[in-house]
Amino acid sequence: MGLLKRDCIQLTLSAAKIMIEAAEAKAREIGVDMDIAIVDSGANLLCFHRMDGAKITSIDVAINKAFTAAATRLPTSEYSQVAGPGGKAFGIHVSNQGRFMIFGGGLPIVVEGQTIGGIGCSSGSVEQDTEVAQAGIDALMSALAKERV
């Protein structure tokens, strides 16, 4: 086992822009203006997009959903049951200076088994936020598949 990991895949701004465009297109399709955030593998904000009618209160929520998904390497929806009152992880939502999101709309970005970032969407229902985030990931995977051909 080496001391350094040499095969790290990094999320680029170009890739984030592909995701933002696809997520926005899905948001328009379902009729909900969204706040869309993408973070890198260190959970640092890489790209943010606020559609004209997106909720101002959802800006931080979208960014924090992306943060949580990247940092935990899990969809934020995974925490909805365990982090509620009486759950095994109750109280986790106040960790990380209150940035930890425990409801859907944040997804890790996983390429070749590596979590390279996270996408978070907010302004709709949990289901809509998740659908828009998934559209961004799907677009990235499609672009990567075309690039490899």
Side-chain angles (χ1 to χ4, degrees), residues 54-131:
K55 297 174 185 171
I56 293 170
T57 55
S58 291
I59 293 170
D60 285 341
V61 175
I63 293 168
N64 291 337
K65 284 180 181 183
F67 165 86
T68 302
T72 65
R73 300 182 187 110
L74 292 171
T76 54
S77 61
E78 295 285 321
Y79 293 95
S80 62
Q81 294 297 315
V82 297
K88 293 178 183 179
F90 179 68
I92 199 167
H93 62 284
V94 297
S95 70
N96 294 280
Q97 293 81 43
R99 295 189 67 191
F100 203 101
M101 294 288 110
I102 63 170
F103 51 94
L107 299 172
I109 304 165
V110 181
V111 175
E112 296 179 13
Q114 293 181 44
T115 300
I116 63 167
I119 181 171
C121 298
S122 188
S123 280
S125 67
V126 168
E127 294 79 17
Q128 290 168 326
D129 293 352
T130 302
E131 182 179 6

